[in-house]
Amino acid sequence: MTKPAVSREEIHRLSRLSPFELKGEFIRLAEHYQADRPGQKEKSTAHMLNAGRGNPNWICTGPREAMLALGHFALSESRRVWTADNLGGMPEQIGIAGRYDHFARTHPELPGIELLTACLSLAVDRFDLDRDAFVHELADAAIGDNYPVPDRMLTHAEQIVVGYLQDELMDRRPPEGQLDLFATEGGTAAMCYIFDSLMKNGILHKGDKIALMVPVFTPYIEIPELDTYEFEVVRVEASSFAEAGVREWRYPTEEVAKLEDPAVKLVCLVNPSNPPSLALSRRVTDQIKDIVATKNPGLIVVTDDVYGTFVNHFRSIAAELPRNTLLVYSYSKHYGCTGHRLGVIGLQRDNVVDAALAALPAEQKARLAKRYGSLRLDPTSIRFIDRLVADSRQVALNHTAGLSLPQQAQLTLFSLFAMLPEGKAYKAKVQSIVHQRLELLLEGSGMKVSQDAQRAGYYIELDLLAEAERTSGPDFAAFLRKNYEPTEPLFRLAEQTGVVLLNGGGFDGPEWSVRVSLANLDDLDYLKIGHHLKTIFDEYRAEWQAAGGR
């Protein structure tokens, strides 16, 4: 192997990009690697191993089949009401549950019909639903013939998803009180809506102090820097080590203590973390609870729990600090449905944001009354979660707000599937997939990570400088730091092996760390990636030794 063709100066310049933009440069180099393989041009795509994207290479099939079966039934209901060539009517609610039973009995061969029936039965029994009303909601949603009503989320869908979140993100031990949901176009939209509405409602102001628990998903770093916000950002760093050269990726007590400052109005975290992929520890959760109870009672917590299903008995901080927490959840990773754009924002009925709205000065209340005055005669009574909905459509289009109804139907079926034995087996399977891939990566690379029962394993963040020190001592690590840019190993990997990883520094992790997605390649590909990492390290070590190191 040789040093990459890209100069150190160019590597330094490109490293200012977001890791997701820098990834494009790695892909370009990896594609050149493929094309240069002798006799392999016609099948070169087999050589690039792109572990830079979090999109899983699996999908959950059962609830999708159930959704297709629901579509067949919904169309039969439409044609029952009105049939003229390609014209149908709107499904009728009265008697629709009985008609579904007949449809299911007479179409036993239809893929997904048994699972759909099981989902309907579970929902009616567990949530005490009116069967006609629920079947009608699903059928009408499946054909998408109406605007979402209620706009925030369909009534039965919200009940079911609350139950799903309480099972999966709160370890079946929900806090007291009512959790309200807003169905969004994935976790991406949820993030945008939250920041926007907190600003629009005067809860946050340009230049305010917020905290990020880092490393963290890059948009949480980049959004606060936009000229709309220009927040002063306090970084709570997962900087502890389990042993020499092995990062623990946990938050020291003194780092979490930064949240005690009452000027810190909001803290954002991804839990389990991205990229380290570890659930928040009990110690840190308790420390944050104590800070809210004593030093910073108005602190708003935004927790993004998309990977929570990959840790057994996961318990979100939204269950521990319900009054202070905005919960973001996306179905994309667990169910392999990033293209569906399925997410929710959860906010407890009694919460600090609504309390802050009530405490605003009179002139601010007057401004907001004017903003939301077209929605209600008493706009001051509009809760923050409903303001999120209105703001998502510039208020004026609130009457057409809401996640598309076919998406809400699919989201509901995913949730119900998780409550069935088949869903629990599926959960265990996807957990085992990512952990098997992690083991193969570590086997190939010879690297070491801390043993942690709270590891989701969807990603892994590897600190290459710490690994250099662990295997060859601090002089080797100092040699790397002096002679190379932190992202140089990634350029070398892409150009010379066709492997694409992301730079951990772009997630506010250590500059010499890399993020590996364990979700989007075949199992044995991770063994290959590990071998390539080891070869790169051996090459660096040989260069160090040639320069007099030992």
Side-chain angles (χ1 to χ4, degrees), residues 387-398:
R387 297 182 190 213
L388 282 166
V389 180
D391 292 336
S392 75
R393 298 298 184 267
Q394 294 294 301
V395 182
L397 290 166
N398 183 72

Side-chain angles (χ1 to χ4, degrees), residues 186-203:
T188 305
M191 291 167 58
C192 296
Y193 296 158
I194 287 171
F195 278 108
D196 182 60
S197 283
L198 288 171
M199 290 286 286
K200 290 285 197 310
N201 283 276
I203 305 300

Side-chain angles (χ1 to χ4, degrees), residues 3 9 55 61 68 119 161 196 198 209 211 215 231 254 262 281 356 390 401 416 453 468 477 485 493 495 519 527-528:
K3 294 181 181 180
E9 292 73 20
N55 196 102
T61 56
L68 295 174
C119 287
V161 174
D196 182 60
L198 288 171
K209 186 182 286 190
F231 294 136
E254 61 271 18
S281 71
L416 291 169
E485 292 296 312
L493 275 169
E495 184 178 355
L527 186 64
K528 296 175 186 175

Side-chain angles (χ1 to χ4, degrees), residues 55 61 64 77 160 163 210 419 429 537:
N55 196 102
T61 56
R64 285 173 163 91
E77 284 295 292
I160 290 163
I210 71 166
M419 301 172 195
K429 178 64 177 176
F537 249 87

Side-chain angles (χ1 to χ4, degrees), residues 108-406:
E109 78 294 342
L110 186 62
I113 195 68
E114 289 186 12
L115 181 59
L116 177 59
T117 300
C119 287
L120 295 176
S121 297
L122 184 152
V124 170
D125 292 343
R126 174 169 171 175
F127 299 100
D128 194 26
L129 305 182
D130 178 275
R131 201 157 181 267
D132 272 348
F134 177 50
V135 174
H136 179 261
E137 179 182 278
L138 272 184
D140 195 64
I143 59 175
D145 61 329
N146 280 301
Y147 291 114
V149 178
D151 49 15
R152 186 159 53 77
M153 194 168 186
L154 293 176
T155 302
H156 300 103
E158 183 176 17
Q159 288 178 258
I160 290 163
V161 174
V162 165
Y164 168 75
L165 297 177
Q166 290 174 343
D167 286 0
E168 298 296 332
L169 303 186
M170 300 180 181
D171 196 25
R172 295 175 174 80
R173 294 178 289 123
E176 294 182 2
Q178 175 62 44
L179 180 66
D180 293 318
L181 301 181
F182 171 24
T184 62
E185 300 86 348
T188 305
M191 291 167 58
C192 296
Y193 296 158
I194 287 171
F195 278 108
D196 182 60
S197 283
L198 288 171
M199 290 286 286
K200 290 285 197 310
N201 283 276
I203 305 300
L204 292 180
H205 301 88
K206 192 170 183 176
D208 275 350
K209 186 182 286 190
I210 71 166
L212 299 177
M213 300 187 75
V214 298
V216 72
F217 184 42
T218 306
Y220 285 103
I221 302 167
E222 296 175 345
I223 289 173
E225 296 175 349
L226 296 174
D227 58 4
T228 305
Y229 308 105
E230 294 181 352
F231 294 136
E232 179 184 347
V233 176
V234 175
R235 284 166 169 76
V236 178
E237 298 183 9
S239 55
S240 60
F241 281 80
E243 59 183 87
V246 180
R247 282 193 175 269
E248 194 176 33
W249 301 112
R250 291 296 185 186
Y251 303 97
T253 301
E254 61 271 18
E255 285 292 311
V256 181
K258 293 175 180 178
L259 303 179
E260 293 177 0
D261 180 0
V264 176
K265 295 187 175 181
L266 175 143
V267 59
C268 296
L269 65 147
V270 177
N271 185 26
S273 51
N274 176 3
S277 209
L278 296 172
L280 205 63
S281 71
R282 180 77 253 174
R283 172 184 59 80
V284 172
T285 299
D286 287 343
Q287 186 179 356
I288 296 174
K289 287 173 66 177
D290 183 66
I291 288 170
V292 167
T294 59
K295 303 287 182 63
N296 196 356
L299 180 68
I300 299 169
V301 180
V302 176
T303 182
D304 185 335
D305 293 356
V306 59
Y307 308 104
T309 53
F310 290 87
V311 175
N312 288 325
H313 302 293
F314 175 80
R315 188 162 170 82
S316 170
I317 197 168
E320 301 283 347
L321 270 177
R323 190 167 186 271
N324 291 69
T325 305
L326 280 155
L327 169 66
V328 173
Y329 178 73
S330 166
Y331 289 72
S332 60
K333 304 303 194 294
H334 186 79
Y335 295 97
C337 63
T338 55
H340 269 293
R341 318 309 298 139
L342 303 179
V344 291
I345 299 170
L347 183 61
Q348 202 75 6
R349 186 71 56 89
D350 174 25
N351 64 82
V352 295
V353 184
D354 284 327
L357 287 174
L360 286 173
E363 64 272 17
Q364 286 290 333
K365 288 182 178 178
R367 177 183 67 83
L368 293 171
K370 182 177 180 181
R371 176 176 179 80
Y372 300 109
S374 63
L375 307 183
R376 198 172 297 174
L377 292 177
D378 178 19
T380 59
S381 67
I382 301 175
R383 294 177 297 134
F384 181 71
I385 197 162
D386 294 309
R387 297 182 190 213
L388 282 166
V389 180
D391 292 336
S392 75
R393 298 298 184 267
Q394 294 294 301
V395 182
L397 290 166
N398 183 72
H399 63 289
T400 58
L403 184 67
S404 84
L405 294 186

